[in-house]
Amino acid sequence: MNNFLDTILTPFTYVVSWVLWAFHELFTTIGMNADSGVTWTLSIIFLVLLIRTLLIPVFVKQIKSQRAMQALQPDLRKLQAKYKGKTDQMSRQAMVQEQQALFKKHKTNPLSSCLPLLVQMPFFFALFRVLNEASRASDDGRSIGALSAEHIRSFDQSSILGAPLSETFLGTINSGAVNWAVIIVAVVMILAMTASQFFTQRQLMTKNMSAEALQGPFMQQQKMMLYILPLVFGIGGINFPIGVLIYWTASNLWTLGQQFWVIRNNPTPGSEAERELNARRAAKGLPPVGVKKEDAEAAEQAAAEQAAKGQRTQPQRKNRRKKK
């Protein structure tokens, strides 16, 4: 099993290690200390920026798939009502087939919201492999991927706020000499990592889902992800090297900011974010999203004309004849 994973991760390990090497060389060239934890931390952060920039097309596809999932919620509820109370094997199979037909029609699936995470995971595991093996590789004097033995030694000896980048929370707890800097930095990074992941998912649910989606079965999946994913990464974080925690926290903050921009400027139709966007546009004298200015002006003029026709005309009082 390990050999199989090694075979899969080897290309990603070379890519990740080469990018780390390239950024480290860049920062060293401009005068930063080659053995400084700040230099290696910046290399990790810029690795995140590069990977997430390359993943923007995948993120756009995720947004489209999520909106397609929300659009088919009424059909899914009708399907559930159709098969409600039917527990036989044939009915369950028919329901699954009809659900699959719906997903195919709308060109989406329930796992679409996890697409960027799934694409990013091989790079994450490759980075974990590089940073987790740094201490042993440094002791053995060997290289990892594109990082030479000298680079590995430099990384293994680097630290941020007194916490070595290759050390883990669990590792220092189990060691004979506990490094409190590692514990403090790791706890802060784990909290930042899980909080950013939680608020990213919560932002999606509270701001960018239509009323139909909020009542559908898709919402149950979103609620599960809201609590399960941060919990999984929070527990797993105690065994992540500080360098990996920096990578994952930076990646989560990118996701949070990227999603905030998309929700604010291109919200899902019928969502709270769309209502807020239309309110901002109305304050600037602009029509609602998706309505041309000419059409909005024509509709406003027609409404004004209709209102004018509906107004009661005050009767004119006729002058009475004077009595002779």
Side-chain angles (χ1 to χ4, degrees), residues 136-183:
R136 290 190 295 271
S138 178
D139 293 339
D140 298 340
R142 56 185 173 87
S143 62
I144 300 178
L147 293 172
S148 65
E150 183 180 352
H151 284 102
I152 292 298
R153 178 199 57 77
S154 172
F155 175 81
D156 185 48
Q157 294 179 358
S158 67
S159 62
I160 187 79
L161 300 176
L165 294 179
S166 58
E167 186 60 271
T168 68
F169 178 92
L170 202 59
T172 193
I173 290 293
N174 293 332
S175 66
V178 175
N179 186 335
W180 285 101
V182 172
I183 293 177

Side-chain angles (χ1 to χ4, degrees), residues 15-28:
V15 170
V16 166
S17 60
W18 185 86
V19 174
L20 273 178
W21 169 84
F23 280 125
H24 182 265
E25 291 300 302
L26 173 64
F27 294 129
T28 302

Side-chain angles (χ1 to χ4, degrees), residues 265-278:
N265 296 283
N266 189 22
T268 299
S271 65
E272 177 66 24
E274 186 188 52
R275 288 189 287 274
E276 292 177 357
L277 176 58
N278 286 334

Side-chain angles (χ1 to χ4, degrees), residues 72-91:
L72 61 80
Q73 292 307 305
D75 293 332
L76 281 178
R77 283 204 295 275
K78 289 178 183 177
L79 192 61
Q80 289 178 334
K82 177 181 176 181
Y83 289 97
K84 186 177 181 180
K86 298 180 181 180
T87 58
D88 59 283
Q89 182 67 25
M90 188 174 295
S91 296

Side-chain angles (χ1 to χ4, degrees), residues 48 51-52 55 115-125 247-248 251-252 255:
V48 172
I51 291 176
R52 296 312 302 268
L55 284 178
L115 189 58
L117 179 63
L118 294 175
V119 173
Q120 197 179 175
M121 287 311 288
F123 296 98
F124 169 75
F125 283 123
Y247 170 91
W248 206 247
S251 182
N252 285 352
T255 302

